Amino acid sequence: SHVVKKMLCVDLEQVWVAGCSNGAMMVYEALADPRTAGIFVGGVSIVGAPHPGFWRPPASPAHLLGIWGLDDTVIPYAASADAPGPGVALATVDEADERGWYYTAARNVTRAWS
C-alpha cells in the first residue's frame, strides 16, 4: 500500500472493492477474508450473490452497496419457496427452465450484513 500511495494520489482510507455477477461473489470473499478485509472500507455487489454455504460476514467493519433487480430470475432477490433450505434462491434463465444455480437470496445477504 505504501508503494501505491507513493505512485498515485490515493486515500487508502477510502478503498472499495466492486464486482458484477461472479465479480460480486469476489466482493463478498474479499470482505470476509481476514487477509484482505482490512484493505477495504466497503464493497459494491452488482447482481451477484454467493452460493449457499459460502456467504460469510465481513471480517472487519465494512459498508455494502448491493444492487439487484426485484424481478431478476438470474440472481433472485428473494428466497424461492421450492429451494432446498431457508434463504436460498433458485436462479433460472426463463420460466420453462427447471435447471439453474442456487444462490443465497440477496435479501438474506443484506439482512445479515445490516
Side-chain angles (χ1 to χ4, degrees), residues 63-78:
H63 301 283
L64 175 68
L65 171 61
I67 302 170
W68 301 277
L70 293 177
D71 295 328
D72 189 346
T73 60
V74 179
I75 304 292
Y77 179 74

